[in-house]
Amino acid sequence: MKDVHKEALEFYIAHQDELVAKYNGKSIIIVEQEVKGVFDSDRDALREARKMFRTGSYMIKRVGPGKDNYTQTFHSGRISFV
């Protein structure tokens, strides 16, 4: 079975500089190694993700610079907040 969250995090890490340049401080929805939405808060991103995607098929990530921005992962059910 494909690990959606690992794949999304790997995408984020590989493209972090580019994402920070575009979306620093915003919350993004990542699905299948693609940004599917940009929001002002995690709450807004989650609200929209629940409407658009199956639970567990996406990751919501607050965009920011540096390794500290992606070294902790918090799981709530099957939804990951990083």
Side-chain angles (χ1 to χ4, degrees), residues 51-63:
K51 293 177 191 176
M52 298 167 41
F53 306 105
R54 186 176 34 68
T55 299
S57 67
Y58 57 87
M59 183 177 83
I60 295 172
K61 178 75 188 88
R62 174 70 65 158
V63 178

Side-chain angles (χ1 to χ4, degrees), residues 2-72:
K2 183 163 88 172
D3 187 338
V4 172
H5 300 116
K6 181 180 178 190
E7 187 175 287
L9 184 58
E10 288 171 352
F11 167 82
Y12 178 80
I13 292 168
H15 296 89
Q16 185 180 18
D17 291 340
E18 165 189 339
L19 294 170
V20 168
K22 288 182 180 180
Y23 309 122
N24 192 33
K26 300 287 186 176
S27 294
I28 60 174
I29 301 170
I30 300 173
V31 177
E32 295 182 3
Q33 299 197 13
E34 185 177 340
V35 175
K36 294 291 191 173
V38 180
F39 302 89
D40 290 328
S41 71
D42 290 344
R43 182 174 294 218
D44 291 342
L46 179 58
R47 186 178 304 120
E48 290 305 310
R50 285 179 171 165
K51 293 177 191 176
M52 298 167 41
F53 306 105
R54 186 176 34 68
T55 299
S57 67
Y58 57 87
M59 183 177 83
I60 295 172
K61 178 75 188 88
R62 174 70 65 158
V63 178
K67 185 177 180 178
D68 290 344
N69 183 259
Y70 59 80
T71 55
Q72 289 185 324

